[in-house]
Amino acid sequence: MKQWVVGNWKMNGSLSMVSDYVPALLDGLLELSGWERSLRVGICPPSPYLGMMASKLTGYPVEVGAQNVHPKPSGAFTGEIAPPMLRELGVDLCLVGHSERRQLFGETDEAVREKLSALLEANLTPIVCVGEVLAEREAGRHLAVVERQVQGALEGLPPERLAGVVLAYEPVWAIGTGKTATPEQANQMHAHIRALLAARFGAGPAAGTPILYGGSVTPDNAGALLAQPDINGTLVGGASLKPATFLPIIQHSLS
Ligand code: PGA
């Protein structure tokens, strides 16, 4: 399986940042010759920049991702963006159920499931984010919480559709805090998620599903995280905002 490196800009950036970032990223990637054979690299900028980012990356093997989507293809949903609109802009990926969406915007497991299915329908790759908050980990409930989120997101998913799904484990206490899960803590959860997938879809499909880690990933800790057997890549927030910190993470993902 290819390793994944996906940058999540959150609500950061500007038109000029996109203009400066894309050539710098492409220049850096050029130096890692052949990277596209073993890696999938994606960037999720805010929605207003998706079209520009996608057009600048046309013809390059770097994928563009949205950070959110509405599950319906069209309709009276003021302020929302539909999956076919993303597709039309040249978007490939979409985050679903990011902890900020769950905590600040009330996104439920059911909403995550609807979005996941709508994205697959529109031929977009969903990256489904799951993760426990600190109190849940301290109470020893982290495995159960993530299990509920994974089961909730994938309930009713036709088995042949799993191949189009990416998961990301992002412990909420590690997001934007500078505290990373230890590689062992992260791998324990990744193995747990994979076992859930295996129980539902079979060992082969579970082994083929990318499970990314996110939460304060930096060039300094990426190597140790990626060395874990069940970690198939990273979802990078703060460190993806500058090619100078994102590129070394991509480089670690190659080795
Ligand atoms: P962070 O964010 O790398 O800044 O912790 C990760 C994320 O929220 O996807």
Side-chain angles (χ1 to χ4, degrees), residues 8 10 98 170 174-176 215-217 235-238:
N8 172 14
K10 311 193 178 186
H98 188 280
E170 298 202 300
I175 294 179
S216 298
V217 174
L235 178 53
V236 186

Coordinates of all heavy atoms in Angstrom, one line a residue, residues 8 10 98 170 174-176 215-217 235-238, ligand 1:
N8 N -3.7 19.5 6.1 CA -5.0 20.1 6.4 C -4.7 21.6 6.8 O -4.3 21.8 7.9 CB -5.7 19.4 7.5 CG -7.0 20.1 8.0 OD1 -7.5 21.0 7.4 ND2 -7.5 19.6 9.1
K10 N -6.9 23.8 7.4 CA -7.9 24.4 8.3 C -8.3 25.7 7.7 O -8.2 25.9 6.5 CB -7.5 24.4 9.7 CG -6.9 23.1 10.2 CD -6.8 23.0 11.7 CE -6.2 21.6 12.0 NZ -6.2 21.3 13.4
H98 N -13.8 15.5 10.9 CA -12.7 16.1 11.7 C -13.2 16.5 13.1 O -14.3 17.0 13.2 CB -12.1 17.3 10.9 CG -10.8 17.7 11.5 ND1 -10.8 18.5 12.6 CD2 -9.5 17.5 11.2 CE1 -9.5 18.8 13.0 NE2 -8.7 18.1 12.1
E170 N -7.0 10.7 14.8 CA -6.5 11.9 15.3 C -7.0 12.1 16.8 O -8.1 12.6 17.0 CB -7.0 13.1 14.5 CG -6.5 13.1 13.1 CD -6.6 14.5 12.4 OE1 -7.7 15.1 12.4 OE2 -5.5 14.9 12.0
A174 N -4.2 15.7 20.9 CA -2.9 15.8 20.2 C -3.0 16.9 19.1 O -2.0 17.2 18.5 CB -2.4 14.5 19.7
I175 N -4.2 17.3 18.8 CA -4.4 18.2 17.7 C -4.1 19.7 18.0 O -4.7 20.2 18.9 CB -5.8 18.1 17.1 CG1 -6.1 16.7 16.6 CG2 -6.1 19.2 16.1 CD1 -7.5 16.5 16.0
G176 N -3.1 20.2 17.4 CA -2.7 21.6 17.6 C -2.1 21.9 19.0 O -2.0 23.0 19.4
G215 N -2.3 14.7 14.4 CA -2.2 15.3 15.7 C -0.7 15.7 16.0 O 0.1 14.9 16.4
S216 N -0.4 17.0 15.7 CA 0.9 17.5 16.0 C 2.0 16.7 15.3 O 3.1 16.5 15.9 CB 1.2 17.7 17.5 OG 0.2 18.6 18.1
V217 N 1.8 16.3 14.1 CA 2.8 15.6 13.3 C 3.8 16.7 12.9 O 3.4 17.8 12.4 CB 2.3 14.9 12.1 CG1 3.4 14.3 11.2 CG2 1.3 13.7 12.6
L235 N -1.8 12.8 8.6 CA -2.7 14.0 8.3 C -2.1 15.1 9.1 O -2.1 15.0 10.4 CB -4.1 13.6 8.7 CG -5.2 14.7 8.5 CD1 -5.2 15.2 7.1 CD2 -6.6 14.2 8.9
V236 N -1.7 16.1 8.4 CA -0.8 17.1 9.0 C -1.5 18.5 9.0 O -1.9 19.0 8.0 CB 0.5 17.2 8.2 CG1 1.5 18.2 8.9 CG2 1.2 15.9 8.0
G237 N -1.7 19.1 10.2 CA -2.3 20.4 10.3 C -1.2 21.5 10.2 O -0.7 21.8 9.1
G238 N -0.9 22.0 11.3 CA 0.0 23.2 11.4 C 1.3 23.0 10.5 O 1.7 24.0 9.8
Ligands
PGA1 P1 -2.1 19.5 13.8 O1 -3.6 19.3 13.2 O2 -1.1 18.8 13.0 O3 -2.0 21.0 13.7 O4 -2.2 19.0 15.2 C1 -3.9 18.0 12.7 C2 -5.4 18.0 12.2 O5 -6.2 18.6 12.9 O6 -5.7 17.4 11.1

